[in-house]
Amino acid sequence: MPADPLPGLAGEIPAREAGSPPYEAGSPPRGAESHPPRAVAASAVEVRRSTRRRKSVSAYREGDRTIVLIPARMSQAEERRWVGVMLDKLAAQESRRVPGDTELSERAAQLSAQYFDGRAIPVSVRWVTNQNTRWGSCTPAEGSIRLSHRLQGMPEYVIDYVLLHELAHLLVPGHGPEFWRLLEAYPRTERARGFLEGVVAAERLPRPSAAPEE
Protein backbone atom coordinates (compact mmCIF):
# COMPACT_ATOMS: atom_id res chain seq x y z
CA MET A 1 0.00 0.00 0.00
CA PRO A 2 1.43 3.43 -0.88
CA ALA A 3 1.76 6.16 1.70
CA ASP A 4 -0.20 9.33 1.02
CA PRO A 5 1.79 12.08 -0.70
CA LEU A 6 2.60 14.03 1.78
CA PRO A 7 14.97 9.89 16.30
CA GLY A 8 19.27 14.28 17.69
CA LEU A 9 22.86 14.76 17.05
CA ALA A 10 25.73 17.26 17.30
CA GLY A 11 29.20 18.06 18.87
CA GLU A 12 31.01 20.72 20.81
CA ILE A 13 32.39 23.72 18.95
CA PRO A 14 34.15 26.69 20.58
CA ALA A 15 32.53 30.08 20.04
CA ARG A 16 34.36 33.06 21.49
CA GLU A 17 32.30 35.90 20.13
CA ALA A 18 31.47 38.64 22.65
CA GLY A 19 31.97 36.33 25.59
CA SER A 20 29.56 33.74 24.19
CA PRO A 21 30.15 30.14 25.28
CA PRO A 22 31.13 27.20 23.09
CA TYR A 23 28.21 25.08 22.01
CA GLU A 24 27.52 21.42 21.42
CA ALA A 25 24.57 19.34 20.39
CA GLY A 26 23.99 15.64 20.65
CA SER A 27 23.65 13.16 23.50
CA PRO A 28 22.73 14.40 26.99
CA PRO A 29 25.81 15.02 29.15
CA ARG A 30 26.43 12.76 32.10
CA GLY A 31 26.11 14.16 35.57
CA ALA A 32 25.02 17.60 34.36
CA GLU A 33 23.40 19.67 37.06
CA SER A 34 20.25 21.36 35.81
CA HIS A 35 17.59 23.62 37.21
CA PRO A 36 13.92 22.76 36.59
CA PRO A 37 13.24 22.90 32.85
CA ARG A 38 11.54 25.98 31.43
CA ALA A 39 9.41 25.65 28.31
CA VAL A 40 10.44 28.03 25.53
CA ALA A 41 8.52 27.26 22.35
CA ALA A 42 5.31 25.54 23.39
CA SER A 43 6.56 22.27 24.92
CA ALA A 44 8.84 21.38 22.00
CA VAL A 45 11.95 23.06 23.46
CA GLU A 46 13.14 23.08 27.05
CA VAL A 47 15.97 25.26 28.34
CA ARG A 48 17.86 24.00 31.39
CA ARG A 49 20.26 26.30 33.23
CA SER A 50 23.24 24.87 35.08
CA THR A 51 25.56 26.57 37.57
CA ARG A 52 28.27 24.05 36.63
CA ARG A 53 28.06 24.95 32.96
CA ARG A 54 30.19 28.07 32.36
CA LYS A 55 31.51 28.02 28.79
CA SER A 56 29.33 25.75 26.69
CA VAL A 57 25.83 25.35 25.31
CA SER A 58 24.49 21.87 24.51
CA ALA A 59 21.40 20.55 22.76
CA TYR A 60 19.99 17.11 22.13
CA ARG A 61 16.72 15.42 21.20
CA GLU A 62 14.67 13.71 23.88
CA GLY A 63 11.63 12.11 22.27
CA ASP A 64 9.57 14.89 20.71
CA ARG A 65 11.42 17.59 22.67
CA THR A 66 14.70 19.40 22.18
CA ILE A 67 16.68 20.01 25.37
CA VAL A 68 19.04 23.02 25.38
CA LEU A 69 21.54 23.28 28.27
CA ILE A 70 23.01 26.71 28.99
CA PRO A 71 25.07 28.42 31.73
CA ALA A 72 22.95 29.78 34.58
CA ARG A 73 24.46 33.29 34.14
CA MET A 74 23.26 33.65 30.53
CA SER A 75 20.87 36.54 29.84
CA GLN A 76 17.41 36.08 28.31
CA ALA A 77 18.59 37.63 25.04
CA GLU A 78 21.59 35.29 24.87
CA GLU A 79 19.34 32.36 25.69
CA ARG A 80 16.99 33.16 22.80
CA ARG A 81 19.91 33.54 20.40
CA TRP A 82 21.59 30.28 21.42
CA VAL A 83 18.34 28.32 21.31
CA GLY A 84 17.99 29.42 17.68
CA VAL A 85 21.61 28.50 16.93
CA MET A 86 21.25 25.04 18.43
CA LEU A 87 17.94 24.28 16.72
CA ASP A 88 19.47 25.22 13.36
CA LYS A 89 22.56 23.08 14.07
CA LEU A 90 20.55 20.02 15.04
CA ALA A 91 18.32 20.37 11.98
CA ALA A 92 21.33 20.72 9.67
CA GLN A 93 23.04 17.64 11.11
CA GLU A 94 19.88 15.55 10.96
CA SER A 95 19.32 16.55 7.33
CA ARG A 96 22.80 15.24 6.44
CA ARG A 97 22.31 11.90 8.14
CA VAL A 98 20.82 9.15 5.97
CA PRO A 99 20.02 5.87 7.75
CA GLY A 100 20.83 2.68 5.88
CA ASP A 101 18.47 -0.24 5.31
CA THR A 102 19.59 -1.92 8.53
CA GLU A 103 18.87 1.22 10.53
CA LEU A 104 15.49 1.54 8.82
CA SER A 105 14.60 -1.99 9.88
CA GLU A 106 15.71 -1.31 13.45
CA ARG A 107 13.75 1.93 13.55
CA ALA A 108 10.65 0.20 12.17
CA ALA A 109 10.87 -2.37 14.97
CA GLN A 110 11.20 0.40 17.57
CA LEU A 111 8.21 2.29 16.17
CA SER A 112 6.10 -0.86 16.02
CA ALA A 113 6.90 -1.63 19.66
CA GLN A 114 6.21 1.95 20.76
CA TYR A 115 2.98 2.63 18.88
CA PHE A 116 1.54 -0.73 17.78
CA ASP A 117 2.54 -2.99 20.72
CA GLY A 118 4.96 -4.76 18.40
CA ARG A 119 2.14 -6.24 16.30
CA ALA A 120 3.47 -4.92 12.98
CA ILE A 121 6.47 -7.08 12.06
CA PRO A 122 7.94 -6.40 8.61
CA VAL A 123 10.12 -8.97 6.89
CA SER A 124 12.13 -6.27 5.11
CA VAL A 125 12.44 -2.48 5.15
CA ARG A 126 14.58 -0.74 2.55
CA TRP A 127 15.15 2.36 0.46
CA VAL A 128 14.18 2.27 -3.22
CA THR A 129 14.83 4.68 -6.08
CA ASN A 130 11.85 3.80 -8.28
CA GLN A 131 9.14 5.53 -6.22
CA ASN A 132 8.90 9.09 -7.43
CA THR A 133 5.16 9.59 -7.02
CA ARG A 134 4.72 8.12 -3.54
CA TRP A 135 6.67 8.26 -0.31
CA GLY A 136 6.41 4.64 0.69
CA SER A 137 4.75 1.34 -0.15
CA CYS A 138 3.94 -1.91 1.58
CA THR A 139 3.16 -5.44 0.38
CA PRO A 140 1.43 -7.07 3.37
CA ALA A 141 1.52 -10.57 1.84
CA GLU A 142 5.32 -10.37 1.71
CA GLY A 143 5.79 -8.23 4.81
CA SER A 144 7.93 -5.83 2.78
CA ILE A 145 8.14 -2.06 3.21
CA ARG A 146 9.84 0.28 0.75
CA LEU A 147 10.62 3.97 1.31
CA SER A 148 11.33 6.41 -1.49
CA HIS A 149 14.87 7.78 -1.64
CA ARG A 150 13.24 11.24 -1.87
CA LEU A 151 12.72 11.06 1.90
CA GLN A 152 16.46 10.96 2.52
CA GLY A 153 17.58 14.16 4.20
CA MET A 154 14.09 14.99 5.50
CA PRO A 155 13.51 15.37 9.28
CA GLU A 156 13.48 12.15 11.26
CA TYR A 157 9.89 12.65 12.41
CA VAL A 158 8.79 12.68 8.75
CA ILE A 159 10.60 9.41 7.97
CA ASP A 160 9.13 7.94 11.18
CA TYR A 161 5.65 8.91 10.01
CA VAL A 162 6.08 7.21 6.63
CA LEU A 163 7.48 4.10 8.34
CA LEU A 164 4.49 4.04 10.71
CA HIS A 165 2.12 4.56 7.79
CA GLU A 166 3.49 1.47 6.06
CA LEU A 167 3.69 -0.52 9.31
CA ALA A 168 0.01 0.23 9.86
CA HIS A 169 -0.72 -1.36 6.48
CA LEU A 170 0.66 -4.64 7.82
CA LEU A 171 -2.25 -4.51 10.28
CA VAL A 172 -4.93 -2.77 8.21
CA PRO A 173 -4.76 -2.95 4.41
CA GLY A 174 -6.85 0.08 3.45
CA HIS A 175 -7.15 3.72 4.49
CA GLY A 176 -10.37 3.42 6.47
CA PRO A 177 -11.15 4.76 9.96
CA GLU A 178 -9.36 1.88 11.69
CA PHE A 179 -6.16 2.64 9.78
CA TRP A 180 -6.18 6.32 10.75
CA ARG A 181 -6.97 5.45 14.36
CA LEU A 182 -3.70 3.53 14.45
CA LEU A 183 -1.76 6.56 13.23
CA GLU A 184 -3.42 8.83 15.80
CA ALA A 185 -1.06 7.29 18.36
CA TYR A 186 1.86 9.09 16.69
CA PRO A 187 1.83 12.71 17.95
CA ARG A 188 3.50 14.14 14.85
CA THR A 189 1.19 12.66 12.22
CA GLU A 190 -0.40 15.97 11.20
CA ARG A 191 2.91 17.83 11.29
CA ALA A 192 4.59 15.21 9.10
CA ARG A 193 1.71 15.17 6.63
CA GLY A 194 1.86 18.95 6.45
CA PHE A 195 5.60 18.84 5.77
CA LEU A 196 5.19 16.33 2.95
CA GLU A 197 2.24 18.18 1.45
CA GLY A 198 4.41 21.30 1.44
CA VAL A 199 7.15 19.43 -0.44
CA VAL A 200 4.63 18.28 -3.05
CA ALA A 201 3.21 21.80 -3.41
CA ALA A 202 6.69 23.29 -3.82
CA GLU A 203 7.55 20.77 -6.53
CA ARG A 204 4.47 21.84 -8.49
CA LEU A 205 5.43 25.52 -8.53
CA PRO A 206 6.66 26.83 -11.90
CA ARG A 207 10.42 27.09 -12.07
CA PRO A 208 11.96 30.47 -12.98
CA SER A 209 13.23 30.90 -16.53
CA ALA A 210 16.94 30.65 -17.18
CA ALA A 211 16.88 34.22 -18.48
CA PRO A 212 14.38 37.02 -17.83
CA GLU A 213 11.78 37.66 -20.49
CA GLU A 214 12.12 40.86 -22.48
Side-chain angles (χ1 to χ4, degrees):
M1 295 287 179
D4 291 344
L6 309 161
L9 322 165
E12 184 167 319
I13 302 176
R16 303 295 183 187
E17 46 188 48
S20 295
Y23 61 91
E24 62 183 55
S27 302
R30 297 178 181 177
E33 174 190 342
S34 64
H35 291 254
R38 181 175 63 81
V40 174
S43 59
V45 178
E46 287 185 5
V47 173
R48 299 177 181 175
R49 290 175 175 263
S50 171
T51 55
R52 294 181 180 177
R53 183 173 290 268
R54 297 174 180 268
K55 297 181 179 180
S56 67
V57 175
S58 300
Y60 60 92
R61 305 296 193 195
E62 187 177 86
D64 290 335
R65 299 176 300 164
T66 300
I67 309 300
V68 181
L69 306 176
I70 64 173
R73 61 176 177 76
M74 186 172 283
S75 69
Q76 294 297 319
E78 289 175 320
E79 174 187 311
R80 287 191 296 270
R81 182 169 71 88
W82 280 104
V83 166
V85 167
M86 301 314 292
L87 290 177
D88 288 346
K89 182 172 178 61
L90 282 171
Q93 290 195 348
E94 288 171 349
S95 70
R96 291 194 297 268
R97 182 177 180 274
V98 177
D101 290 351
T102 299
E103 289 177 290
L104 276 186
S105 296
E106 293 172 350
R107 184 58 179 159
Q110 293 170 356
L111 291 169
S112 177
Q114 183 174 358
Y115 295 102
F116 300 152
D117 297 323
R119 293 181 295 126
I121 305 174
V123 174
S124 65
V125 184
R126 59 191 176 91
W127 294 109
V128 294
T129 58
N130 61 352
Q131 291 187 165
N132 294 318
T133 60
R134 54 189 178 181
W135 299 113
S137 61
C138 173
T139 305
E142 300 175 358
S144 61
I145 290 175
R146 297 163 296 279
L147 265 58
S148 171
H149 72 288
R150 297 169 62 225
L151 289 165
Q152 294 175 352
M154 292 189 187
E156 288 184 358
Y157 75 89
V158 176
I159 298 175
D160 281 354
Y161 165 73
V162 179
L163 275 173
L164 278 167
H165 187 114
E166 303 310 332
L167 286 167
H169 279 309
L170 295 177
L171 305 175
V172 179
H175 288 100
E178 184 180 355
F179 174 85
W180 293 111
R181 276 196 295 273
L182 285 174
L183 286 183
E184 285 176 359
Y186 183 55
R188 292 189 169 186
T189 287
E190 291 306 316
R191 182 178 176 188
R193 286 174 60 83
F195 183 98
L196 291 169
E197 287 167 0
V199 171
V200 171
E203 290 176 347
R204 290 173 179 167
L205 291 174
R207 298 190 179 279
S209 303
E213 296 182 3
E214 297 184 359

